Amino acid sequence: MKKSLLAAALCGAFTMSAHAQSSVTLYGLIDTGLVYTNNQLGHSNWQLGSSSTQNTVFGLKGSEDLGAGLHAIFKLEQGFLLNNGAQAFSGSAFGSQAWVGLQSDPYGTLTFGRQFDVMNDLVGPISSSFNTWGGSIAAHPFENDNLAANSVVINNSVKYASPLYHGVTFETMYSFSNKAGDFANNRSYGFGLSYAQGPLNLAAGYLQLNNAGNGTGAVTTGDTSANFIAERQRIWSLGGNYTFGAATVGLLWSHTQIDNVAGVFSFGTGSYLGATDSSAGTLAGSLRLDNYEVNAKYALTPALSVSGAYTFTHGAYNGSSPGWNTAMLQTDYAVSKRTDFYLEGVYQNVHGAPADSVLSHAMINTLSPSSTNTQVAVTVGMRHAF
């Protein structure tokens, strides 16, 4: 009898130990609000918006301790639109993220699946468009440098992230075309490096997309991940921020080269300039864009903050030199650790672009293009994390 009781106790102890070493967590974020735009497709517009600042998602993430500092990890995440329940990434069950991998305390993390690119991981946090205090609606024109809050997701990717070493983190990734006989068609690769020590944070990165939007490769148009249809898109970025007590100030530069570009996409609704579906318009030739951003955030109290950003984007397209001015201002009030309310305004103006091309029309990210060179959007919203 005593042996039976001892065996049962040991069995229970091992079971409890196994449960303690693995975990699965349900999590999510909901972002919704009312958005007023002075000009969308030639008309002012009031709309119930979703994900103006952060992606609205729910997901599962888990970890299992394999011993010796090694963990099996996974994440499955679905993005959706709160106003109608539709998938944010059309046709994808877990369009926001779907990956599995191994995490080693001394050697780093290796993951496989549909993931955010390495430049978004490391340089993105310096941009206002990545953070809750600016968000997707504050992105650079056409979200040309992939720095906004997790808007471009890469398929078929293998990603390595180093452990933190004296404040330095390194990431690299490669994404396969998954197409027989066409290895280089619609593939992607990149790397990023960051340094964080005390109040200082620095980061740099490079990302290349080859023939994005073609078939079922690294970046596709079918799930709205592709921002441009082009033979090749190369992005360099460099930035940093510094925290002074309650204030954080950041500077960021990114350079995007888009070769043999055919079209650019908008995440707003409706067609424009002869394009169809969610496309904002057609292009032809090469497009170069340099983004120069300065941003700041100040915590007035632990619950109340104000933030702002200004980006000048200099372009070169078929002999023209278009320029964009994009400005953002936000105030945010947190009523708890998981719930906050925000009021945000974004202004964009474009000049110097060829007349009647998509580049000559202002287009704030997540919204349909303006019929003029200016667009203003104001949103009041609520976020809740769980």
Side-chain angles (χ1 to χ4, degrees):
M1 180 69 177
K2 290 182 179 179
K3 290 182 179 180
S4 298
L5 290 174
L6 179 60
L10 289 173
C11 180
F14 282 123
T15 302
M16 290 176 64
S17 176
H19 282 299
Q21 292 173 355
S22 13
S23 66
V24 176
T25 303
L26 172 67
Y27 69 94
L29 174 69
I30 297 172
D31 177 1
T32 190
L34 293 174
V35 183
Y36 168 77
T37 313
N38 73 321
N39 188 319
Q40 284 191 58
L41 310 176
H43 304 279
S44 62
N45 191 20
W46 285 93
Q47 63 192 97
L48 179 64
S50 181
S51 306
S52 290
T53 62
Q54 298 288 290
N55 288 355
T56 295
V57 300
F58 69 91
L60 293 170
K61 59 182 178 180
S63 173
E64 181 186 11
D65 189 347
L66 303 178
L70 187 65
H71 307 265
I73 56 175
F74 79 91
K75 182 174 282 189
L76 301 173
E77 184 177 284
Q78 169 68 297
F80 64 98
L81 305 179
L82 188 72
N83 53 311
N84 59 14
Q87 295 173 326
F89 296 90
S90 178
S92 300
F94 295 103
S96 291
Q97 298 184 71
W99 52 259
V100 66
L102 293 171
Q103 180 182 40
S104 168
D105 294 340
Y107 299 114
T109 303
L110 187 65
T111 51
F112 308 84
R114 178 173 167 86
Q115 308 174 75
F116 301 122
D117 69 79
V118 295
M119 195 165 66
N120 189 269
D121 289 347
L122 299 184
V123 187
I126 295 172
S127 171
S128 63
S129 60
F130 182 93
N131 292 280
T132 58
W133 47 267
S136 303
I137 198 170
H140 302 155
F142 312 109
E143 224 287 86
N144 68 83
D145 49 14
N146 290 15
L147 293 180
N150 308 329
S151 65
V152 177
V153 195
I154 311 292
N155 295 322
N156 316 324
S157 62
V158 180
K159 179 162 67 172
Y160 168 76
S162 74
L164 185 67
Y165 183 73
H166 294 294
V168 176
T169 301
F170 171 76
E171 288 190 16
T172 186
M173 71 179 297
Y174 186 91
S175 303
F176 294 86
S177 69
N178 275 13
K179 188 173 182 181
D182 210 355
F183 183 81
N185 190 28
N186 198 354
R187 65 174 175 172
S188 175
Y189 51 88
F191 58 85
L193 184 70
S194 73
Y195 172 80
Q197 202 73 272
L200 178 65
N201 183 19
L202 302 172
Y206 173 79
L207 178 67
Q208 180 163 325
L209 309 174
N210 286 359
N211 203 16
N214 185 5
T216 58
V219 180
T220 69
T221 57
D223 63 7
T224 69
S225 281
N227 289 330
F228 293 90
I229 304 302
E231 179 183 339
R232 182 173 62 178
Q233 181 177 355
R234 291 173 289 173
I235 307 168
W236 293 262
S237 62
L238 175 67
N241 59 31
Y242 196 89
T243 299
F244 307 83
T248 300
V249 177
L251 295 172
L252 176 69
W253 164 80
S254 65
H255 173 75
T256 301
Q257 293 187 198
I258 309 169
D259 301 325
N260 292 329
V261 60
V264 58
F265 280 75
S266 165
F267 294 109
T269 58
S271 60
Y272 194 60
L273 295 176
T276 57
D277 302 321
S278 60
S279 174
T282 57
L283 294 168
S286 296
L287 176 64
R288 305 288 186 267
L289 296 164
D290 283 282
N291 306 282
Y292 305 90
E293 177 184 336
V294 56
N295 58 62
K297 179 189 176 185
Y298 185 79
L300 298 168
T301 71
L304 180 64
S305 67
V306 293
S307 57
Y310 168 75
T311 300
F312 173 69
T313 301
H314 177 264
Y317 176 69
N318 292 349
S320 67
S321 299
W324 289 260
N325 296 285
T326 306
M328 176 277 298
L329 186 64
Q330 185 200 93
T331 181
D332 180 86
Y333 183 74
V335 296
S336 72
K337 290 183 178 180
R338 297 190 296 142
T339 303
D340 66 305
F341 295 88
Y342 62 87
L343 173 65
E344 181 168 344
V346 178
Y347 166 85
Q348 186 178 100
N349 169 271
V350 58
H351 58 274
D356 296 324
S357 80
V358 63
L359 301 182
S360 66
H361 297 260
M363 187 178 75
I364 293 173
N365 195 42
T366 76
L367 302 174
S368 296
S370 171
S371 63
T372 71
N373 67 337
T374 300
Q375 191 172 53
V376 177
V378 178
T379 177
V380 55
M382 171 183 177
R383 283 184 296 249
H384 177 73
F386 61 89

